[in-house]
Amino acid sequence: MNENLFTPFMTPTILGLPAVVPIILFPTLLFPTSKHLISNRLIIIQQNLIQLIMKQMMTIHNTKGQTWSLMLMSLIIFIATTNLLGLLPHSFTPTTQLSMNLAMAIPLWAGTVITGLRFKTKNSLAHFLPQGTPTPLIPMLVVIETISLFIQPVALAVRLTANITAGHLLMHLIGSATLALLTASFLATSLTLVLLVLLTILEMAVALIQAYVFTLLVSLYLHDNT
């Protein structure tokens, strides 16, 4: 167990070079593809899950919004797999890095905003000034709505970073406590071990939920602009 609490969040290196790119590309190797006419059970389950998520996420979109389906499905699969792989011992979770989450959130958010300005210009600009606003409040509301618009990608990135980082820190602390109590009390060690197992199961659920929430919010931003 590392003594430094934040050591697991440091970017790993190979021969002095950052190993982030191989780690990011690794999840793509975990999804099998079939070259046969009849797929096996694993691929069938994978395809059914993808179709279920896509159907649930794309029902609110029109034809223009449905063109983003491949992007959104790739996003949720990438975030979910990297979150789950980060729960393995001595592994690195890219989604604990705010810089990476911003690199995902800002282009997607900007794409939805540009799409809205291009195809629904009046409706997009109307969001800055709600109907029936008193004249003295117009400048203040425009500034507030502008700030709320630009804070959306930051909120996306911070939400994902905070949830994944908090879970990893809690698992690290409880794991350290379990090792420390190993020679002191068998009962206390058993209780903390059970707590660690339950927390690990919870973190697996959080990893999937956060991937879904991140993608769903991007989908809602897209729905508002198409």
Side-chain angles (χ1 to χ4, degrees):
M1 188 68 65
N2 293 313
E3 294 182 0
N4 187 354
L5 192 61
F6 295 96
T7 299
F9 304 106
M10 297 176 62
T11 304
T13 57
I14 300 177
L15 299 177
L17 299 175
V20 175
V21 174
I23 293 173
I24 292 175
L25 295 178
F26 177 73
T28 59
L29 304 177
L30 301 179
F31 292 92
T33 56
S34 177
K35 298 181 181 179
H36 305 284
L37 182 62
I38 301 177
S39 302
N40 58 30
R41 294 180 180 178
L42 180 60
I43 295 180
I44 292 175
I45 293 174
Q46 172 185 315
Q47 292 174 348
N48 289 337
L49 286 175
I50 292 175
Q51 290 176 0
L52 178 64
I53 297 173
M54 183 180 296
K55 181 179 179 181
Q56 184 177 3
M57 195 170 294
M58 291 290 109
T59 50
I60 62 174
H61 292 283
N62 55 20
T63 305
K64 182 63 66 175
Q66 290 176 358
T67 58
W68 284 56
S69 58
L70 181 60
M71 173 75 74
L72 295 178
M73 288 308 305
S74 301
L75 178 66
I76 190 173
I77 291 173
F78 170 73
I79 297 177
T81 50
T82 51
N83 288 347
L84 290 175
L85 289 175
L87 296 175
L88 297 176
H90 303 288
S91 61
F92 173 72
T93 313
T95 47
T96 58
Q97 306 296 312
L98 182 61
S99 57
M100 176 179 168
N101 294 336
L102 285 173
M104 289 191 299
I106 291 177
L108 292 170
W109 165 83
T112 61
V113 173
I114 292 173
T115 301
L117 292 175
R118 180 180 179 184
F119 297 102
K120 296 175 62 176
T121 306
K122 292 183 179 180
N123 292 336
S124 297
L125 295 178
H127 290 163
F128 292 97
L129 187 62
Q131 188 176 5
T133 304
T135 304
L137 297 179
I138 289 178
M140 182 183 300
L141 281 179
V142 170
V143 173
I144 292 175
E145 291 297 329
T146 303
I147 294 175
S148 65
L149 176 65
F150 281 95
I151 209 172
Q152 287 177 353
V154 180
L156 274 178
V158 170
R159 181 186 295 106
L160 180 59
T161 304
N163 281 280
I164 301 302
T165 302
H168 282 57
L169 287 175
L170 195 55
M171 291 177 62
H172 185 98
L173 291 172
I174 295 179
S176 300
T178 304
L179 290 178
L181 293 172
L182 191 59
T183 57
S185 172
F186 177 77
L187 179 60
T189 303
S190 301
L191 291 176
T192 52
L193 183 60
V194 171
L195 181 61
L196 182 60
V197 172
L198 294 176
L199 181 61
T200 303
I201 297 174
L202 176 63
E203 282 304 308
M204 293 177 65
V206 169
L208 299 175
I209 291 172
Q210 289 303 315
Y212 180 76
V213 169
F214 189 97
T215 310
L216 179 63
L217 289 175
V218 174
S219 176
L220 292 177
Y221 296 156
L222 177 64
H223 175 67
D224 292 337
N225 289 281
T226 54

